[in-house]
Amino acid sequence: MNQKALKILEYEKIISQLTEYAASAPGKLLCRDLLPSSDYDEILQAQTETTDAVTRVRMKGSLSLSGIRDIRDSLKRLEIGSALGITELLSISSVLTVAARAKAYGRHEESEQIPDDSLEEMFRSLEPLTPVNNEIKRCILSEEEISDDASPGLHRVRRSMRGINDRIHTQLNSILNSSRSYLQDAVITMRDGRYCLPVKAEYKNQVTGMVHDQSATGSTLFIEPMAIIQLNNELRTLEIQEQKEIEAVLADLSNQLVPYTEELSLNLQLLSRLDFIFAKAALSRHYQCSEPKFNREGRIHIKDGRHPLLDPQKVVPITVWLGDHFDLLIVTGPNTGGKTVSLKTVGLFTLMGQAGLHIPAFDGSELAVFDEVFADIGDEQSIEQSLSTFSAHMTNIVDILGKADSRSLCLFDELGAGTDPTEGAALAIAILNFLHNMKCRTMATTHYSELKVYALSTEGVENACCEFDVQTLRPTYRLLIGIPGKSNAFAISRKLGLPDYIIDDAKSHIEAEDETFEDIISHLEESRVTIEKEQQEIQAYKAEIARLKSRLEQKEERFDERRDKMIRSANEEAQRILREAKETADRTIKNINKLAASSGVDTKALEAERTKLRENLKKVDSNLSLKQESKPHQAINPKKLHIGDGVKVLSMNLKGTVSTLPDAQGNLFVQMGILRSRVNISDLELLQENSISAPGLDSRRKGSGSSAIKMSKSASVSTEINLLGMTVDEAIAHLDKYLDDAYIAHLSQVRVVHGKGTGALRAGIHKHLKKLKNVKEFHLAEFGEGDAGVTIVVFK
């Protein structure tokens, strides 16, 4: 790729941003040296690596590669047998630590179903050399400190040094305490690596020893007392031994690394490469990029592309295609409308894609592989070279025409500008026609109407325009392919305040053909805007229809499922009830036949069988519900609804009476037997007065056995039963039926009149009442209410 195009299309700014995402110096160097490639397979490999890195970051988080050091010089020293210093060994240890971290990052857990990708082999090839790295970390604590345990000899020397240091300080402290008046300060200092005391100059003869230094004023002498000279000499000797031991430790660590120089070199290369690849992934995530598809046929199709160097909050995505049905695209429109940005977007995306970088565009965007990208954009005027704007542009164009071929992408901004419009337009048409015949992929911007006509009349050439809103005097920056644009000079001038008479005079100087062409473009633009609005409305209607259709289908599916479930449950329940009824009837008939066949008919036994059968039939009757005939639902006028009106709650299939009038939302309370519920008026159906005999209950209600009753019965059940003159068996038979009816009618308590007599009837009735589950309690009536001749029964 020629450097001029890279500079014009601002490729270096993208590389500068990419370099910031690299964590190491070798990785940054790879980023700075990145250039677009024209090798198809190499481009696909680079794109795949970037995509795989983005996928890994999304699924496993970022990979920290900080700590990579350039250890190539150290490896060369190891190869020739030299010992490395502390800093070099720490650099190698840092690289090995990063290698271990990267290898762990590249390892997949069994629960992570991540397929092998293009980076897998790099991660597997890393050699952390953990034993050697651990040994370096054990021996070297920092760039200034070697561990005492690095070697037995070093440990022994340092232990001796600590002992001598203690003895020196003890001697010096003794001298400090005894000769404090001789000293300038009561401190111990160091001079030339030896311990000294700051003695006043006038007392120098009072402290015997060796003078090592004096202060700038000469008032203080730094004297090494005679008592510690020998100790200082021993300490100095130990320091020399310590340095030798440290050198031995470093030499030993270096020797341990010698067999692994190739592994270390490979680690550095792989980590630098991974740093570079993950920097590309970070750039891709920052700009929300996608991997473009590549082809060798020269097709470009960028979907919603956003120039990466523009403000992401303000940039308007563009969609542009080239090289399929046409290979030359001529973009027209007003200044500051986005023509140049469109050119640069196509050129920069091509360079980024061929460099292995993702592009900030929608998924499925397509780019072609070009051998060269040529660009003539911007003001090329040069005073030093005596070049005018037109001359500078033409010089660049001549160079492009000499190098361009069918595998080139050519970008021209304001082609033919800077000279006579007629000649400039003619030159522009000739240049574009030459490139068109050469099958170059070309994109050019212009204001010349002649080029618009050329695009309309030439096969393989297409017009495009950057949309401009004349009402607001602002560009929309949308690129519209297939439509020639207008410069809108008159409209912009009028908006900016140019008098109408000047504009009218200017219009009079336009030739009739030009004016007609501009009017056609205006009408086309108006038609396009109208069609776009209608298409948007149609799309909105289609989306709404699709949404409603989907909702309806879902409702139908749920309805069918509920209906099938209800039918299945009803059939199963009906079969069970019929089976129980048949078994009960068969069993009862058999028992009655046995009793009838016996010599004497036991009235009590027959009555018991009859009672048992009646209870079972009641239970069956309560579990069955009548299917209500569906009637058309008529809306109720809230003004015609009164408290006490009979209504049917459709959702519950229950009848009841209105307890309250509806509120503003149409909600009201309905009393349905013992149930009082809040419903909406739209869920009610008004009943005729004779269709309900008691408030709140249907003739037969779905639910448990105790709740399914007939209201005609509940209205006629008396609160008292008279059993006078009956035997115990007869009285119990009548009492059972009466208590069942009274309980179902929701009476809270009843009176049972049995009389006083001998007390046998009362005792039999009380004994029977104790066995009934629906009886809460019973007791004799109070004085004046029947006394011992009446029993009050209270239901649960």
Side-chain angles (χ1 to χ4, degrees), residues 15 27 60 151 160 230 271 359 385 463 484 523 533 537 747:
I15 295 301
K60 304 182 69 172
S151 71
S160 300
Q230 182 60 32
L271 291 175
I359 60 173
Q385 299 178 17
N463 269 308
H523 293 320
K533 289 182 179 178
E537 292 177 358
L747 298 179

Side-chain angles (χ1 to χ4, degrees), residues 91-266:
S91 296
I92 291 177
S93 175
S94 179
V95 171
L96 293 176
T97 300
V98 176
R101 188 163 62 239
K103 195 173 184 69
Y105 177 87
R107 191 179 300 115
H108 300 321
E109 300 293 336
E110 293 182 359
S111 59
E112 297 176 346
Q113 298 181 355
I114 302 176
D116 289 352
D117 53 26
S118 60
L119 306 180
E120 189 69 28
E121 186 60 32
M122 294 188 193
F123 286 112
R124 288 177 180 169
S125 299
L126 290 171
E127 293 293 340
L129 304 177
T130 304
V132 179
N133 188 22
N134 290 340
E135 183 65 14
I136 294 174
K137 291 180 179 179
R138 185 186 69 82
C139 295
I140 304 177
L141 302 180
S142 68
E143 292 187 1
E144 295 82 19
E145 185 178 4
I146 300 293
S147 172
D148 292 352
D149 298 327
S151 71
L154 183 61
H155 184 271
R156 182 176 59 256
V157 169
R158 286 186 173 173
R159 184 177 58 188
S160 300
M161 290 174 66
R162 285 192 293 271
I164 292 178
N165 268 316
D166 292 341
R167 291 168 59 189
I168 290 173
H169 281 82
T170 301
Q171 290 283 352
L172 290 176
N173 285 329
S174 175
I175 296 172
L176 280 175
N177 294 329
S178 61
S179 308
R180 188 176 298 271
S181 58
Y182 303 152
L183 303 179
Q184 194 75 30
D185 294 301
V187 295
I188 300 172
T189 184
M190 293 282 290
R191 286 295 184 273
D192 298 328
R194 302 178 75 88
Y195 289 101
C196 301
L197 293 176
V199 181
K200 296 177 182 179
E202 56 271 24
Y203 296 113
K204 65 179 180 179
N205 295 325
Q206 303 299 323
V207 179
T208 58
M210 185 180 296
V211 177
H212 286 278
D213 197 5
Q214 68 178 4
S215 64
T217 60
S219 59
T220 304
L221 298 177
F222 296 95
I223 300 175
E224 178 184 5
M226 188 64 67
I228 66 168
I229 288 178
Q230 182 60 32
L231 293 175
N232 270 334
N233 290 338
E234 294 179 9
L235 183 61
R236 186 62 179 167
T237 302
L238 289 174
E239 288 175 352
I240 295 172
Q241 293 180 12
E242 179 191 29
Q243 189 59 37
K244 289 181 179 180
E245 290 293 339
I246 291 175
E247 291 175 358
V249 170
L250 297 179
D252 180 61
L253 293 175
S254 300
N255 290 332
Q256 294 184 42
L257 289 172
V258 169
Y260 303 108
T261 53
E262 291 185 2
E263 287 84 350
L264 290 170
S265 179
L266 180 62

